[in-house]
Amino acid sequence: MDKITSNSRQFSIRTFANLFGLTPATVRYYESLGLISPQRSTNKRRYFTQKDVEWMQFVLHLKNTGMSMAQLQQYVFLRSQGDETISERLELLLQTRAAFMQQQAELEQHVRILNDKIDWYQQRKRGALGEQVSFAEYLSNIGHHL
């Protein structure tokens, strides 16, 4: 997500949600999980600051790496405990990165197979490969495997 900036000092829940393509209900849900902590006006209405925007950007980055809501809650809890939990937060982030890298490798494998299949069809269409060359044979010939 691109960095979001605003000259405004306070954001309503709707404006805050819109900044991230979320609904106000989703923002309330994140609040109920303790992932965000909006300020309250004198009439008890939620409002968010630029600091909240920056924090939400980070939370969504973690979520988009595949971190579960329970792991996000754990991270936020550890963060609230201060610097004495840096080691635990680091370990959680390292675990998240390892799982994300595994997912990325799997996605790259899927893309490679997709590209190989497209190439196989294109070569068949051009007549560069005969009908007798199966996709499995083609993969074997180029040193790839399913």
Side-chain angles (χ1 to χ4, degrees):
M1 174 179 294
D2 292 331
K3 184 170 172 115
I4 298 170
T5 58
S6 173
N7 293 330
S8 174
R9 299 191 70 194
Q10 296 181 359
F11 303 91
S12 69
I13 189 170
R14 180 165 306 285
T15 301
F16 184 78
N18 288 341
L19 288 173
F20 300 101
L22 303 172
T23 65
T26 301
V27 172
R28 284 190 216 65
Y29 173 66
Y30 283 11
E31 180 185 0
S32 75
L33 295 177
L35 301 180
I36 55 174
S37 299
Q39 312 300 311
R40 297 285 179 163
S41 67
T42 53
N43 62 1
K44 307 294 184 207
R45 293 182 62 109
R46 289 174 185 85
Y47 72 90
F48 299 87
T49 65
Q50 182 61 35
K51 186 175 177 180
D52 297 316
V53 169
E54 292 163 5
W55 173 246
M56 186 63 153
Q57 286 175 318
F58 182 67
V59 167
L60 292 176
H61 280 297
L62 291 178
K63 183 177 178 288
N64 289 332
T65 65
M67 186 179 271
S68 71
M69 293 306 235
Q71 290 170 314
L72 280 166
Q73 286 178 291
Q74 181 183 8
Y75 183 88
V76 171
F77 173 75
L78 290 170
R79 182 176 176 262
S80 74
Q81 302 302 302
D83 284 353
E84 62 270 9
T85 65
I86 285 176
S87 293
E88 292 95 327
R89 285 183 272 162
L90 176 60
E91 183 58 33
L92 185 56
L93 292 176
L94 288 170
Q95 290 171 6
T96 299
R97 181 178 65 184
F100 185 72
M101 297 301 287
Q102 177 62 36
Q103 290 172 351
Q104 183 179 16
E106 291 170 8
L107 288 172
E108 288 172 359
Q109 168 71 3
H110 296 313
V111 169
R112 186 181 57 76
I113 294 296
L114 180 62
N115 287 337
D116 289 343
K117 189 70 167 184
I118 289 168
D119 187 52
W120 181 72
Y121 278 126
Q122 288 174 336
Q123 288 192 42
R124 292 278 310 273
K125 189 175 174 182
R126 286 193 318 261
L129 284 176
E131 291 180 24
Q132 74 282 2
V133 179
S134 70
F135 181 59
E137 289 175 291
Y138 173 75
L139 288 178
S140 179
N141 291 339
I142 64 172
H144 293 178
H145 307 284
L146 285 175

